[in-house]
Amino acid sequence: MVEPANYQPLSGEIPSNVNVQEYFLQGSILDANADKLKQRLQGLCDNVPPEPFTDHEQIYFLKNATSMLPIIVKACKSLVKPSTPWQIKYVGATEVGEHNKPTMIRSCVTVAVSNDPAQFLDNLGFSLQSEVILKGYFYRKGRLKITVSKISVPPTATCDTSKLEASASSHLVEVNTTASPRDETAGDEVKNFCQLLRPAIVLNKVDHRKLQQWQ
Amino acid sequence: MSGNPPPIKISLQSLSDTKIQEIAYDGRETFIQPLSMSESLTDLANRIDFLAENEDEETQTDDATSTSVDEAQYQAKQWPWENIRTQIQRSVIEMNVLTDVLSIAQNKPTNVPKETAESSDSNRYMMYDFASKEAEPSKQSLQMITKKRCLGAASKILLSGADRLNKAKSESSFQNTYHSELLKLRQRWRVRRVGEKILGELSFRTAGSDYWHMGSFEVIKKSDEDSDTLDDYEQNLTKLTPNVPKSPIKVVVSSDLRGFSSLSVQIMDLSKDEAIESCTLSLSDIENSAMSSANDPLWHRVLCNAQNVLFCRELFARLSKEAVQQKTLGTASPIVVIGDTITTNIFPKIQLRVQLLFSKTHPTQRNPRQASIFSIQNALMHLLLRYFSKRLNISPPHPTTAALGLTTQMRHAAVHHNSLNQLAATAKKTSLSFVDVLISMSKHYEVRQRVCDTIKLLSNEFSDPDVLAHWSLASSKTESSARLTIANSGFESCYRSAVQVIVKPDCIKILQRDARSLTLSVDPTDLHNYFVSLVASHQLMTVQVLSRTLGWTMLHVSPHSSLGLTPDIKNRGSVLISSNNGAVSVAIACNEMIGGPIQYTTHVQYTKAHDRSQLEGTMYDDPDFSLESDKYLPLGGVWMKVNWPQLHGRHFIQKMETLLTSLVMTEICGKSETVETEQSNKPETEISTKATNDETVTKPKKELTATQKARIERNRQKALLLRQSRLSQQQLLGTKTTTGCSRIIDTGGGFLLEENPDVKPRKLNRVEEPAPVIAGDDSICLECDKPFQDSYLLTTYDHQVCDKCRDPEEKHSVITKTEARETYLLSEVDITKREPILKYVVRKNPHNRRWGDMKLYLRLQIEERALEVWKTPEALEEERESREQKREIAKKKKFNKNMKKLRQEVRSSLFEVKSKVHTHVFGPEKQSETDEDIYTKTCIECDHQITFEKM
């Protein structure tokens, strides 16, 4: 049996075109109020219990010859479920856009890899910029992904999840979804969901360029 | 008092006019309020006692004054005088009585006798009598009117009061019922308050649905005016059960949800243009039985109906969406979606039609046949629910950057090698096609019906062997199986054919006893042909087995010789047997006329010596079967055709038995003759050789006369004839058990009946209806990911592993309860009470049968439970170690204690009590840095610190 060329046994219902945009909004909440937010999220999101996760993210940079902005690749690994494959995520430049755009947009490509891609990325010329451990809860509503996580710096060598030192006294909250750039509704969907979280947390567009100026 | 000499002067002073009522403890005095003028007057007046007046006083004047006073007081009508007035009145009466008595006493002559005095004294006497007050003249009519008016006014007041009370009460109760109804509604439906409104939702979203319709409704309070008015739809709703309780709540659902909806699935036979099977699916049918009752309030029905409409529409939307996407799916014609109907031909001329019905009025009562369920209802419902749960239970991405919506297998497949087929299989397993299931189920249903019909037809068509079909109870929605047993009654132990028929949506699979499996198409003629050949081969096999037991020899068997003499007769096999000395051969051919029943043609060949007089009438020369040609010469001899109806027996095999036994019988009868013929080699001159033989036999005895010999011979011949005639008669009439095939029937009532061969016994027709399809889902093995229906581990331990993957030695080993408790440090409660309760198998104790039963648990499950209790294996290990240590310590303690006791008992003189009291040995005193007076000192041995103050 010969399958047609566009047969995608793996992708399922995921849009298979590479040109995928990530629509997202970020914000932070103090630890003291995080529990309230979690309860609210559980009420708003799909009727499944929140999924605890601990992800190890390594952020690699590659100097771009044509542009000031470097090429950023994140290598992510789950510490809760070590058997799941690593993911490499290419993250494009964040477009804050005009006022009529509801969310920040960046292009992104996610690929599953079997081994630690450090060597591979190193060979390509990437250099490890920073690494963080995100520990928190994952929620979803339809195609929206909502994460409430605590950022901490990984201890050297061992990745003992129980002894993590938090780098700040607040949680990172991110609402995002991936869709094709033609999908007009995705951004609104994210925005509308974020409206529901008010006033517990106000998720707004943040100009990443200002944050990245220190580089 | 006056006598006392007053040595001291006492000055008296009136302190106050008012009296002291009370003196408080602090010396303050509370005064009685001075009387007002009127009060003091009343007081004074009360003190007057007219009755206590002196009798001697001038009555006249007193009377006059008192009357005047009385008059004045009466006129004044002042309250203070009321008392006085009554007293004066009384005293006036007294005075009047007194004057009367006095006047009588004055006028009475003293010396006159009583009679004369009375008569003469102008009838003046005194009598004590009650003074009756003269009643006032009453004005009847006027009184009545006034009375009526008064009563009317009073009643009006009462009525209005009652009315107001009623109103208030009903108002509050209405409010109460509204709230209690709202509470009831909240118990059953999801509602929330948005501003002033109460909104609710009846969609299946929280269950995992993604249908666009929100299914929101609004709850409003009914006002008094419209509490009784129902619109058409509501009237329709209440039509079936008129005694719907009134409720102060009204729900408003969007108009497209106001109606009655159902999904009808029909299998139509296009050639006859009628529905073979149909069923309607609606949530309310299923709910009606379980959830709602006749006493449900109207709002509940409205909402239930709306939800049902939503459910049907969602199901139909899914079906039609899939139907459009996949045009054909193993069907005879493409799937067509037009409006609210999906049609396709699952087989030629057999159409499957799914229709979404929606009406504003209540659908008429379905006829009971239409209500027949062929489990599509359940299956579709089940599918939708599974779809919901699948949507909810997608595996969360790890790390979170991974794509959403992939299954765990998909995720792993991304980085592990997999063949395309494996991936396709995984994708197929995870995909959930409604149309696919619907079509395969309806196909299966149709095929099953066909198989069932064919078996029925078969068992009716063939009167001869009994066909028994047992439909397996355990069947899935796309597979069911039947076991077909073919046997001849009375010869079941002789031979029995059994085949397993597995009905699948696209084919019929047949497993034979010889482990051959055939796959037939779904065409019923295919199956019919197979069954006919099956019956034929069964009969031939039975003949073979029978002949072997009767001592015949098999010469030739051809199970499937397809060539026949005439083209319209199909040969289904033939057998050639001969008696063990080869004197008689029987050839049986099993033929099937086109469109007719199976016929058995049997030819019998005798050697010339064979005496066939006994079977006279049962055989005839077959004109079709002339063997004149030279090529048939090796067959030898004459072949006679057996006339089956003439033979004794109920069915073919019994007749066959009769034939064979009687043939053997005749052989035995004629045996001596055959032997003789062999000796003499003169079969033609039978009688004469016999005669010579007889001579040889009788020779040594005695010489007999010729007449004697002749007589003996005559008698012998006569006896032989007699016996032969009797034999043949018996065989033809079949009255006695001579051939061994007549049987005795046990009536079961204590009588043994002899069988009547003329009456055919009632045909066994044990074709069962197939069992209803249980649309249960196959369990999926945890080891090999393949679906299976039943397995040892699933039934005994609820562990989803199929029998193939079961590894009783290693992975699925069992563990006794005691061992489990010791090894995994589980308490009794953890094993027996904690949910889910672990299943176990009870076995006899191997050490001693009288001891308690051994409970065997699955080690895998016990390990899981242990992890559940102890969270991590490390924690378990730690606990085990700590317990070990504790046990050690306890052991040591006990040992020491026992030792001490022993010493005490044995050598009490040597034993000395070591009662050591710790005495603090304090070090140097230290002065506190903050306060000069505070000093501290510490015990050198035990670090005990004392803080004290030095003055």
Side-chain angles (χ1 to χ4, degrees), chain A residues 8-39:
Chain A
Q8 300 275 343
L10 286 180
S11 52
E13 290 168 21
I14 307 298
S16 57
N17 50 347
V18 181
N19 195 5
V20 168
Q21 302 273 4
E22 188 178 30
Y23 297 80
F24 68 107
L25 282 174
Q26 288 172 327
S28 70
I29 188 164
L30 283 172
D31 289 352
N33 300 327
D35 280 342
K36 274 183 199 165
L37 180 73
K38 281 176 194 165
Q39 280 170 8

CSV table of all heavy atoms in Angstrom, one decimal, chain A residues 8-39:
chain,number,residue,atom,x,y,z
A,8,GLN,N,0.4,12.1,6.5
A,8,GLN,CA,1.1,12.5,7.7
A,8,GLN,C,0.7,11.7,8.9
A,8,GLN,O,-0.2,12.0,9.6
A,8,GLN,CB,0.8,14.0,8.0
A,8,GLN,CG,1.2,15.0,7.0
A,8,GLN,CD,2.6,15.4,7.0
A,8,GLN,OE1,3.3,15.2,8.0
A,8,GLN,NE2,3.1,15.9,5.9
A,9,PRO,N,1.4,10.6,9.0
A,9,PRO,CA,0.9,9.7,10.1
A,9,PRO,C,1.2,10.2,11.5
A,9,PRO,O,0.6,9.8,12.4
A,9,PRO,CB,1.7,8.4,9.8
A,9,PRO,CG,2.9,8.8,9.0
A,9,PRO,CD,2.5,10.0,8.3
A,10,LEU,N,2.1,11.1,11.6
A,10,LEU,CA,2.5,11.6,12.9
A,10,LEU,C,1.8,12.9,13.3
A,10,LEU,O,1.5,13.1,14.5
A,10,LEU,CB,4.0,11.9,12.9
A,10,LEU,CG,4.8,10.6,13.0
A,10,LEU,CD1,6.3,11.0,13.0
A,10,LEU,CD2,4.5,9.8,14.2
A,11,SER,N,1.5,13.7,12.4
A,11,SER,CA,1.0,15.0,12.8
A,11,SER,C,-0.4,15.1,13.2
A,11,SER,O,-0.8,16.0,13.9
A,11,SER,CB,1.3,16.0,11.7
A,11,SER,OG,0.7,15.5,10.5
A,12,GLY,N,-1.2,14.1,12.8
A,12,GLY,CA,-2.6,14.1,13.3
A,12,GLY,C,-3.3,15.3,12.8
A,12,GLY,O,-3.3,15.6,11.6
A,13,GLU,N,-3.9,16.0,13.7
A,13,GLU,CA,-4.7,17.2,13.2
A,13,GLU,C,-3.9,18.5,13.3
A,13,GLU,O,-4.4,19.6,13.1
A,13,GLU,CB,-5.9,17.3,14.2
A,13,GLU,CG,-6.9,16.2,14.0
A,13,GLU,CD,-8.0,16.2,15.0
A,13,GLU,OE1,-8.1,17.3,15.7
A,13,GLU,OE2,-8.6,15.2,15.2
A,14,ILE,N,-2.6,18.4,13.5
A,14,ILE,CA,-1.8,19.5,13.6
A,14,ILE,C,-1.5,20.1,12.2
A,14,ILE,O,-1.3,19.3,11.3
A,14,ILE,CB,-0.4,19.2,14.2
A,14,ILE,CG1,-0.6,18.5,15.5
A,14,ILE,CG2,0.5,20.4,14.4
A,14,ILE,CD1,-1.3,19.3,16.6
A,15,PRO,N,-1.6,21.3,12.0
A,15,PRO,CA,-1.3,21.8,10.6
A,15,PRO,C,0.1,21.5,10.2
A,15,PRO,O,1.1,21.7,11.0
A,15,PRO,CB,-1.5,23.3,10.8
A,15,PRO,CG,-1.5,23.6,12.2
A,15,PRO,CD,-2.0,22.4,12.9
A,16,SER,N,0.3,20.9,9.1
A,16,SER,CA,1.5,20.3,8.7
A,16,SER,C,2.5,21.3,8.1
A,16,SER,O,3.7,21.0,7.9
A,16,SER,CB,1.3,19.1,7.8
A,16,SER,OG,0.6,19.6,6.7
A,17,ASN,N,2.0,22.4,7.7
A,17,ASN,CA,2.9,23.4,7.0
A,17,ASN,C,3.9,24.0,8.0
A,17,ASN,O,3.6,24.2,9.2
A,17,ASN,CB,2.1,24.5,6.3
A,17,ASN,CG,1.1,25.1,7.2
A,17,ASN,OD1,0.8,24.6,8.2
A,17,ASN,ND2,0.6,26.2,6.8
A,18,VAL,N,5.1,24.2,7.5
A,18,VAL,CA,6.1,24.6,8.4
A,18,VAL,C,5.9,26.0,8.9
A,18,VAL,O,6.3,26.4,10.0
A,18,VAL,CB,7.5,24.5,7.7
A,18,VAL,CG1,8.6,24.9,8.5
A,18,VAL,CG2,7.7,23.1,7.2
A,19,ASN,N,5.2,26.8,8.1
A,19,ASN,CA,5.0,28.2,8.4
A,19,ASN,C,4.0,28.3,9.5
A,19,ASN,O,2.8,28.6,9.3
A,19,ASN,CB,4.6,28.9,7.1
A,19,ASN,CG,4.7,30.4,7.3
A,19,ASN,OD1,5.2,30.9,8.3
A,19,ASN,ND2,4.3,31.2,6.3
A,20,VAL,N,4.5,28.2,10.8
A,20,VAL,CA,3.6,28.2,11.9
A,20,VAL,C,3.9,29.4,12.8
A,20,VAL,O,5.1,29.6,13.0
A,20,VAL,CB,3.7,26.9,12.7
A,20,VAL,CG1,3.0,27.0,14.0
A,20,VAL,CG2,3.1,25.7,11.9
A,21,GLN,N,2.9,30.1,13.2
A,21,GLN,CA,3.1,31.2,14.0
A,21,GLN,C,2.6,30.9,15.4
A,21,GLN,O,1.7,30.2,15.6
A,21,GLN,CB,2.3,32.4,13.5
A,21,GLN,CG,2.6,32.8,12.1
A,21,GLN,CD,3.7,33.8,12.1
A,21,GLN,OE1,4.3,34.2,13.1
A,21,GLN,NE2,4.0,34.3,10.9
A,22,GLU,N,3.4,31.5,16.4
A,22,GLU,CA,3.0,31.3,17.7
A,22,GLU,C,2.4,32.6,18.2
A,22,GLU,O,3.0,33.7,18.1
A,22,GLU,CB,4.2,30.9,18.6
A,22,GLU,CG,3.8,30.6,20.0
A,22,GLU,CD,4.9,30.1,20.8
A,22,GLU,OE1,6.1,30.6,20.6
A,22,GLU,OE2,4.7,29.3,21.7
A,23,TYR,N,1.1,32.6,18.7
A,23,TYR,CA,0.5,33.7,19.2
A,23,TYR,C,0.6,33.6,20.7
A,23,TYR,O,0.1,32.6,21.3
A,23,TYR,CB,-1.0,33.8,18.8
A,23,TYR,CG,-1.2,33.9,17.3
A,23,TYR,CD1,-1.0,32.7,16.5
A,23,TYR,CD2,-1.5,35.1,16.7
A,23,TYR,CE1,-1.2,32.8,15.1
A,23,TYR,CE2,-1.7,35.2,15.3
A,23,TYR,CZ,-1.5,34.0,14.5
A,23,TYR,OH,-1.7,34.1,13.2
A,24,PHE,N,1.1,34.6,21.4
A,24,PHE,CA,1.3,34.4,22.8
A,24,PHE,C,1.2,35.7,23.6
A,24,PHE,O,1.5,36.8,23.0
A,24,PHE,CB,2.6,33.7,23.1
A,24,PHE,CG,3.8,34.5,22.8
A,24,PHE,CD1,4.6,35.0,23.9
A,24,PHE,CD2,4.2,34.7,21.5
A,24,PHE,CE1,5.7,35.7,23.6
A,24,PHE,CE2,5.4,35.4,21.3
A,24,PHE,CZ,6.1,35.9,22.3
A,25,LEU,N,0.9,35.6,24.8
A,25,LEU,CA,1.0,36.7,25.8
A,25,LEU,C,1.6,36.2,27.0
A,25,LEU,O,1.4,35.1,27.4
A,25,LEU,CB,-0.4,37.2,26.0
A,25,LEU,CG,-1.1,38.1,25.0
A,25,LEU,CD1,-2.5,38.4,25.4
A,25,LEU,CD2,-0.3,39.4,24.8
A,26,GLN,N,2.4,37.1,27.6
A,26,GLN,CA,3.1,36.7,28.9
A,26,GLN,C,2.8,37.6,30.0
A,26,GLN,O,2.5,38.8,29.8
A,26,GLN,CB,4.6,36.6,28.6
A,26,GLN,CG,5.0,35.4,27.7
A,26,GLN,CD,6.4,35.5,27.3
A,26,GLN,OE1,7.0,36.5,27.1
A,26,GLN,NE2,7.0,34.3,27.1
A,27,GLY,N,3.0,37.2,31.2
A,27,GLY,CA,2.9,38.0,32.3
A,27,GLY,C,3.4,37.3,33.5
A,27,GLY,O,3.9,36.1,33.5
A,28,SER,N,3.4,38.0,34.7
A,28,SER,CA,3.9,37.3,35.9
A,28,SER,C,3.0,37.6,37.0
A,28,SER,O,2.3,38.6,37.0
A,28,SER,CB,5.3,37.8,36.2
A,28,SER,OG,5.3,39.1,36.6
A,29,ILE,N,3.0,36.7,38.0
A,29,ILE,CA,2.2,36.9,39.1
A,29,ILE,C,3.0,36.5,40.4
A,29,ILE,O,3.8,35.6,40.3
A,29,ILE,CB,0.9,36.0,39.0
A,29,ILE,CG1,-0.1,36.3,40.1
A,29,ILE,CG2,1.2,34.5,38.9
A,29,ILE,CD1,-1.5,35.8,39.8
A,30,LEU,N,2.7,37.2,41.5
A,30,LEU,CA,3.4,36.9,42.7
A,30,LEU,C,3.1,35.6,43.2
A,30,LEU,O,1.9,35.1,43.0
A,30,LEU,CB,3.1,38.0,43.7
A,30,LEU,CG,3.8,39.3,43.5
A,30,LEU,CD1,3.2,40.3,44.5
A,30,LEU,CD2,5.3,39.2,43.7
A,31,ASP,N,4.0,34.9,43.9
A,31,ASP,CA,3.8,33.6,44.4
A,31,ASP,C,2.6,33.5,45.2
A,31,ASP,O,1.8,32.5,45.2
A,31,ASP,CB,5.0,33.1,45.2
A,31,ASP,CG,6.2,32.9,44.2
A,31,ASP,OD1,6.0,32.9,43.0
A,31,ASP,OD2,7.3,32.6,44.7
A,32,ALA,N,2.3,34.5,46.0
A,32,ALA,CA,1.2,34.5,47.0
A,32,ALA,C,-0.1,34.4,46.3
A,32,ALA,O,-1.0,33.8,46.8
A,32,ALA,CB,1.3,35.8,47.8
A,33,ASN,N,-0.2,35.0,45.1
A,33,ASN,CA,-1.5,35.0,44.3
A,33,ASN,C,-1.5,33.9,43.3
A,33,ASN,O,-2.6,33.7,42.6
A,33,ASN,CB,-1.7,36.3,43.7
A,33,ASN,CG,-1.7,37.4,44.7
A,33,ASN,OD1,-2.1,37.3,45.8
A,33,ASN,ND2,-1.2,38.6,44.3
A,34,ALA,N,-0.5,33.1,43.2
A,34,ALA,CA,-0.5,32.1,42.1
A,34,ALA,C,-1.5,31.1,42.3
A,34,ALA,O,-2.1,30.6,41.4
A,34,ALA,CB,0.9,31.4,42.1
A,35,ASP,N,-1.8,30.7,43.6
A,35,ASP,CA,-2.8,29.7,43.9
A,35,ASP,C,-4.2,30.1,43.4
A,35,ASP,O,-4.9,29.3,42.8
A,35,ASP,CB,-2.8,29.3,45.4
A,35,ASP,CG,-1.7,28.4,45.7
A,35,ASP,OD1,-1.1,27.8,44.8
A,35,ASP,OD2,-1.3,28.3,46.9
A,36,LYS,N,-4.5,31.3,43.6
A,36,LYS,CA,-5.8,31.9,43.2
A,36,LYS,C,-5.9,31.8,41.7
A,36,LYS,O,-6.9,31.4,41.1
A,36,LYS,CB,-5.9,33.3,43.6
A,36,LYS,CG,-6.5,33.5,45.0
A,36,LYS,CD,-6.6,35.0,45.3
A,36,LYS,CE,-6.7,35.2,46.8
A,36,LYS,NZ,-6.5,36.6,47.2
A,37,LEU,N,-4.8,32.1,41.0
A,37,LEU,CA,-4.8,32.1,39.6
A,37,LEU,C,-5.0,30.6,39.1
A,37,LEU,O,-5.7,30.4,38.1
A,37,LEU,CB,-3.5,32.7,39.0
A,37,LEU,CG,-3.4,32.7,37.5
A,37,LEU,CD1,-4.3,33.7,36.9
A,37,LEU,CD2,-2.0,32.9,37.1
A,38,LYS,N,-4.3,29.7,39.8
A,38,LYS,CA,-4.5,28.3,39.4
A,38,LYS,C,-5.9,27.8,39.5
A,38,LYS,O,-6.4,27.1,38.6
A,38,LYS,CB,-3.5,27.5,40.3
A,38,LYS,CG,-2.1,27.5,39.8
A,38,LYS,CD,-1.2,26.7,40.8
A,38,LYS,CE,0.2,27.1,40.6
A,38,LYS,NZ,1.0,26.6,41.7
A,39,GLN,N,-6.5,28.2,40.6
A,39,GLN,CA,-7.9,27.8,40.8
A,39,GLN,C,-8.8,28.4,39.7
A,39,GLN,O,-9.7,27.7,39.1
A,39,GLN,CB,-8.4,28.3,42.1
A,39,GLN,CG,-8.0,27.4,43.3
A,39,GLN,CD,-8.3,28.0,44.6
A,39,GLN,OE1,-8.9,29.0,44.7
A,39,GLN,NE2,-7.7,27.4,45.6
